[in-house]
Amino acid sequence: MKDRPEIPPVVHMLRSVAETRPDSTAVECGKEQLTYRRLWEESGAVSARLRAMEGFRPGCLIGVLFERGVSGVVAQLGIWRAGAAYLPLDPALPDVRIRAVLRDAAPLTVLVQPDLDRDDVVSTGPLPEAPAEAGTDSGPADSPTAYVIYTSGSTGTPKGVEVGHDALANLLSWHRGAYATGPGVRLAAFAGLGFDASVWETWATLANGATLVLPTETMLADITAISAFLGEHDVEQCFLSTPLAEQLLAQQPPSSLRLLLTGGDRLRVHPPSDYPAAVHNHYGPTEATVVTTATQDLRTHGATGAAPVIGRPVDGALVRVVDDAGHTVTRPGSAGELLIGGAVLASGYRNDPELTARKFIRDDDGVRWYRSGDICRWSDAGELEFVERRDAQLSVRGHRVEAAEVEQAILSVRTVQQAAVAVREDGVGGSLVAFYCGGVDEHTVHAALEEQLPRYMVPSRIRRLDTIPLTPNGKIDRVALLGLPDEAGQPTASDLRGNSVDETVAGIWAELTGRRPESGDSFFEIGGHSLLAAKMVSQVRAAFGVRVELQSVFRYPVLSDFVAQVNASLKSES
């Protein structure tokens, strides 16, 4: 590997921008704006207070529990300037998940947004008052770790990935060169706060002197709201998780958008050749600092009937495709596991040296590689194609089925915009179930699949949905799909909605989930998910003419508690 020039860590990049463009807007969220000068000053105050805290030491881990907004960005930068690493905690996650992460990560303390009221989940004392002193930053040299992101392993147990400052700086430097993100550019951020794409969105924008534009509420599930936000705020660049990007590619984007970045799942559709924004697909596990490979503009590159490629390695990344014996595969069309090496690699897993040693290996030459578990192959043009996850193969009545192949066939049906398949256990070897969004009926989709696929790959049940449920990280939630209630006997509005607030809200819940809720039922335990939550809140707003935030259903998922919030809003706005 040839020598690479030293890249300054993100704190040094931010300081340079604050010195050269102090009055430029760094972060914008609703009516709140923060210049680079104020971002630097306010993060300095956080840094000083952390360093004055009892037990603080350079290199320690600090949790950050904030909704998306200016304050969370200030807190994260302040942690870096104090010489510590940050642990992002998404308030949208269930309490049990947050507690599990905190038990494993054991941060020194957690900085919490004051109005979140999460004392039952996070216990932490107040930071001491301390003035921000110029030139007293400890800086990243005292903490090689920049952040720790938790992902679910194959067992569902959260595992923390520790990413270093050098790896993050490599990502930000590559991004600037690849996408010309810099002063005057407006970039929006929508990724879930516990998803490593949020690290990419935030710091690729700020370290390169651009303006980070944040929505005032969660828009993860609503592509219509996302598109409107982009246009209203003159956003030129944004990242959308794969399912959302696929939806935006099926419609006319806002005229301001010039660059659409996507990743996180297998992209299955190409943009039209006349799509007004450049579209780039990306691949990369959390263990390789968000992005390992990237494509050229998909409007003019490789627009074939097959799924889009995942491209070539970014600067600083090394990749190898190996067969089951560990031999490198170079012949186009031959598939194997993807190994990743180079400057993009994370340090390892927090508090788990055994897993780190198993997943991060060294070859005979001493080069360190990460075993991704992803099956890839080289195309004739020398680009990587994603095939499947090694641990996510579907088995239906003894047949091995590639979910992506079935989904690709569904997406080829006219007017279908989104698709997902899963296996439902039925006691007789499992059955393949398909879900899709689009104007075409189920019978037409079934007939099209019978023409394209072997009989064992044709789903036994096909169901049209208004929206496909997503995880907090923006990926298709296949568990939620299998938990959706049957359509037969689903209550209607006329059957369920009453005159009182609790009767009307209960009726809306029943319409969306297919199950009549009791006062102690949780929305997410009777069939609700993130996309239905957005739809439910929209209907509640329309029914009562009050402002109910989407976050309310995540904070108060039990029917009686949610109704109390609606009643409180009615009272305050009367």
Side-chain angles (χ1 to χ4, degrees), residues 59-78:
C60 68
L61 184 66
I62 307 293
V64 183
L65 184 62
F66 281 74
E67 294 174 325
R68 190 185 311 281
V70 171
S71 298
V73 176
V74 169
Q76 291 174 354
L77 180 55

Side-chain angles (χ1 to χ4, degrees), residues 402-422:
E402 290 188 16
E405 184 176 354
V406 182
E407 292 168 351
Q408 195 76 39
I410 298 172
L411 286 165
S412 70
V413 179
R414 183 178 174 83
T415 79
V416 171
Q417 299 175 351
Q418 186 60 278
V421 299

